[in-house]
Amino acid sequence: MITVRAPAKINLQLAVGPLRSDGYHELVSVFHAVDLCDEVTVAEAGDGVELVMSGEGAADLPVDDTNLAVRAARLLADHHGIEANVRIQITKAIPVAAGMAGGSADAAGVLVACDALWRTRTDRKTLVSLAATLGSDVPFALLGGTAIGTGRGEQLTPVLANGELYWVFAIADEGLSTPAVYAEFDRLNSAPAAPEVSIPLLQALRSGVADAVGNQLHNDLQPAAVKLRSNLGPLLDAGTDFGALGAVVCGSGPTCAFLVRDTEASIDLAVALTSTGLCRTVKRGSGPAQGVR
Ligand code: C5P
């Protein structure tokens, strides 16, 4: 039996460019892994892939072959020409359909855990390329830390970032569909520019000054997510009014991430945001977190 922990991600920057002919958008993302982790346990099983999920939002998720975690197990087994016989148990802490890449984290966790269970010794490069075929955010869940993603987000370069960043996450009642948010982005932006990484953000990360990082948070999908969810605008404003150093929608939303100075500030902001009634629940975390371990 093997257990791994797989981190959620947020995007400190998400610059979205034109729609490509393969249906994906060219993008530049500064990914940041946070210590909100799903736990993935795999164990020997006789016949096929069995998936059991528990925890945050698990009841709403499919456990058949449409689940990315099941596909990850099959993909690794196919790659090595072996039978995919495994029981996967996932305990979710990462909110579902929240823009924090929880499904991608689970898939990355299954790749690493099954590779250990089956003793298939997949080299890192192969594991990352298998991850990329599963989804744009899966390779980053393997890597963790803070990294620039290019292409559709799957080509990664680690970023030099100093210090720890403290976050409060405001989680909505209902998730948002990633394709729907990208489609809304297309409606709002007829000719998006080629995406470029923000140099001021990279400088702020290198300096380790949280205020500077807070000023540089930016997500091109935010207007689309705010348009689809009317409470997000007021929620982001509330966080800033309550003293957050920066506020940004996570990925395609609807989770909002608020950067704060330290643990104490995160407790204060979590209480204040809860009292607004603009979100379902509030979680606290810090980053950069390690990739799947
Ligand atoms: O790669 P993943 O399966 O996570 O992407 C989900 C959906 O998000 C895609 O089908 C696409 O609609 C949208 N997407 C995109 N451009 C990207 C990444 C995702 O349009 N770079």
Side-chain angles (χ1 to χ4, degrees):
M1 194 166 87
I2 308 280
T3 297
V4 298
R5 284 166 65 75
K9 63 86 188 160
I10 61 176
N11 308 80
L12 304 178
Q13 181 197 5
L14 184 53
V16 182
L19 182 62
R20 310 191 310 201
S21 55
D22 64 0
Y24 286 90
H25 292 75
E26 193 65 26
L27 57 82
V28 169
S29 163
V30 177
F31 288 113
H32 179 70
V34 293
D35 63 352
L36 196 60
C37 294
D38 284 357
E39 203 177 85
V40 179
T41 297
V42 298
E44 302 277 2
D47 190 21
V49 181
E50 186 197 349
L51 173 61
V52 180
M53 302 193 92
S54 60
E56 170 94 27
D60 302 331
L61 294 171
V63 291
D64 59 10
D65 280 19
T66 58
N67 191 303
L68 210 53
V70 175
R71 283 168 46 204
R74 293 203 193 287
L75 182 69
L76 185 70
D78 284 351
H79 178 78
H80 291 288
I82 59 173
E83 294 284 326
N85 291 329
V86 65
R87 182 175 198 274
I88 305 168
Q89 195 163 355
I90 298 178
T91 308
K92 292 210 63 72
I94 307 173
V96 172
M100 300 187 81
S104 301
D106 297 344
V110 167
L111 285 178
V112 170
C114 284
D115 192 45
L117 184 75
W118 296 334
R119 298 191 178 86
T120 34
R121 296 173 183 278
T122 315
D123 64 75
R124 193 73 186 170
K125 207 169 152 220
T126 306
L127 212 56
V128 170
S129 66
L130 291 174
T133 69
L134 290 166
S136 310
D137 293 337
V138 186
F140 177 70
L142 289 177
L143 183 70
T146 305
I148 300 171
T150 55
R152 60 185 170 89
E154 85 289 11
Q155 294 160 28
L156 298 171
T157 313
V159 163
L160 180 66
N162 281 302
E164 194 160 4
L165 297 173
Y166 297 87
W167 300 94
V168 176
F169 307 110
I171 295 151
D173 265 330
E174 214 185 309
L176 266 174
S177 141
T178 302
V181 175
Y182 274 100
E184 186 62 32
F185 171 87
D186 291 335
R187 279 189 285 275
L188 294 175
N189 301 274
S190 50
E196 280 180 37
V197 72
S198 158
I199 302 300
L201 173 62
L202 297 183
Q203 286 167 341
L205 287 167
R206 205 173 312 136
S207 75
V209 177
D211 292 78
V213 175
N215 285 331
Q216 299 302 330
L217 300 175
H218 181 83
N219 180 356
D220 279 347
L221 292 180
Q222 188 161 307
V226 167
K227 185 122 192 271
L228 294 173
R229 278 295 153 76
S230 57
N231 64 320
L232 293 186
L235 180 59
L236 290 162
D237 290 345
T240 312
D241 291 347
F242 289 133
L245 306 174
V248 72
V249 167
C250 298
S252 54
T255 304
C256 294
F258 301 92
L259 182 62
V260 292
R261 200 170 308 283
D262 50 28
T263 307
E264 204 183 326
S266 77
I267 296 169
D268 291 345
L269 182 61
V271 170
L273 286 173
T274 305
S275 72
T276 64
L278 289 166
C279 54
R280 171 173 63 85
T281 178
V282 171
K283 295 199 178 211
R284 299 181 300 117
S286 67
Q290 290 190 323
V292 174
R293 289 289 180 285

